[in-house]
Amino acid sequence: REGTMTDFICAYFGSDWTITTRGFSSARQAEKHGLYMTPTAGVFGFAVIQENENGWEVCDWHSILPPNNKVTKINDLNKFKVSI
């Protein structure tokens, strides 16, 4: 749809923290960032999120998440949190 701006986000996480990185041009670019960060000590995985003015959704096929994950948006900070 013309005029719709889509943002791809990588939210990588550890046991009690999440870092939200924005500005990727595609889900694949955000996934590549998550794969780059995954070997870092304390990183458990990452969620790739597609967001536009109509809402947001997790791109499961580009994410590495445990089956019992919960992804939430913290609206005050415009960030996401991954809980396991």
Side-chain angles (χ1 to χ4, degrees):
R1 188 170 80 156
E2 193 172 328
T4 301
M5 182 68 166
T6 300
D7 190 17
F8 292 94
I9 301 152
C10 178
Y12 54 99
F13 63 95
S15 62
D16 60 354
W17 55 270
T18 303
I19 296 176
T20 302
T21 309
R22 295 177 164 275
F24 298 100
S25 61
S26 67
R28 180 69 182 125
Q29 290 279 319
E31 178 186 10
K32 286 171 76 174
H33 180 73
L35 291 171
Y36 177 78
M37 296 308 296
T38 298
T40 305
V43 175
F44 291 173
F46 62 92
V48 172
I49 301 159
Q50 178 178 345
E51 183 179 40
N52 60 38
E53 60 268 4
N54 297 321
W56 61 274
E57 67 179 329
V58 175
C59 301
D60 292 320
W61 56 94
H62 290 286
S63 302
I64 296 179
L65 293 165
N68 58 340
N69 75 83
K70 181 179 178 185
V71 180
T72 54
K73 185 171 184 183
I74 305 167
N75 284 327
D76 295 350
L77 302 174
N78 200 25
K79 295 185 180 202
F80 289 87
K81 178 170 178 40
V82 180
S83 304
I84 53 175

